[in-house]
Amino acid sequence: MSDTQRCLAVYGDPSKAAFEAKWLKIFTIPLDIAAHFPPYPGVPHVSRIQMNTFAWEPFCAVFRELIATGLVKELHTYDGCVNLRRKRGMLEWSIHSWGLALDFDQALAPLGSQVPHFSQAFLNVWRKHNWDCGADWKGRKDIMHFQYTKLFPA
């Protein structure tokens, strides 16, 4: 079963209001994280983020470890989380549709780029907290992309 199929089975149709009401929330980024969180293009200070409630705590854990290790300095821009859309060039929903994916440094690490952008230490922090890294994908890499699809709510 693909990640998209599992998301549909567990979270439901991301285009329906019932999904949004149950699973999406706008979170205020905690101050210890916000002080180090990269800007969104055109928005110098990001203070809130909408994402799936199941991914919030793992997201905070990743960022706190990136800050503690100094690896957060590898980030230059935050390029989004929730985006109701199909995967580029495909018919399946993007994992962004469920608020379970984050993009960083899109201009520096575009979809399909084969050039490593983030260090292995940086990627290992995400992996340690059960996030999939688009840099690990076979075929079309998505180096800017991190998604929380290894674990699902019971």
Side-chain angles (χ1 to χ4, degrees):
M1 183 180 291
S2 73
D3 290 338
T4 300
Q5 291 167 330
R6 287 186 70 195
C7 286
L8 271 171
V10 172
Y11 299 110
D13 185 338
S15 68
K16 303 293 183 194
F19 159 76
E20 185 171 351
K22 182 174 181 180
W23 292 105
L24 292 183
K25 180 179 173 184
I26 297 174
F27 293 94
T28 298
I29 299 174
L31 292 177
D32 64 316
I33 294 173
H36 303 274
F37 199 77
Y40 184 82
V43 180
H45 177 72
V46 178
S47 61
R48 298 181 311 150
I49 186 171
Q50 183 182 31
M51 73 171 36
N52 191 300
T53 57
F54 189 66
W56 176 247
E57 288 301 324
F59 162 79
C60 290
V62 165
F63 258 82
R64 287 188 172 113
E65 187 165 339
L66 290 174
I67 293 163
T69 58
L71 294 166
V72 74
K73 293 176 185 169
E74 294 190 30
L75 293 173
H76 301 93
T77 62
Y78 162 67
D79 296 294
C81 181
V82 176
N83 185 358
L84 182 64
R85 64 173 177 81
R86 305 290 179 175
K87 290 180 183 176
R88 291 185 190 122
M90 300 178 187
L91 297 176
E92 319 187 284
W93 288 112
S94 165
I95 301 302
H96 286 283
S97 301
W98 288 280
L100 293 166
L102 297 149
D103 288 339
F104 295 96
D105 294 359
Q106 179 179 359
L108 300 171
L111 177 65
S113 174
Q114 299 296 315
V115 179
H117 177 68
F118 299 112
S119 70
Q120 284 302 309
F122 178 92
L123 296 174
N124 284 339
V125 172
W126 291 89
R127 293 173 185 129
K128 174 183 170 183
H129 294 280
N130 294 305
W131 288 77
D132 285 314
C133 304
D136 295 335
W137 295 350
K138 306 283 188 247
R140 183 175 75 168
K141 293 190 181 297
D142 197 357
I143 293 169
M144 68 178 142
H145 183 91
F146 301 88
Q147 66 184 43
Y148 196 69
T149 52
K150 287 186 178 182
L151 300 176
F152 286 84

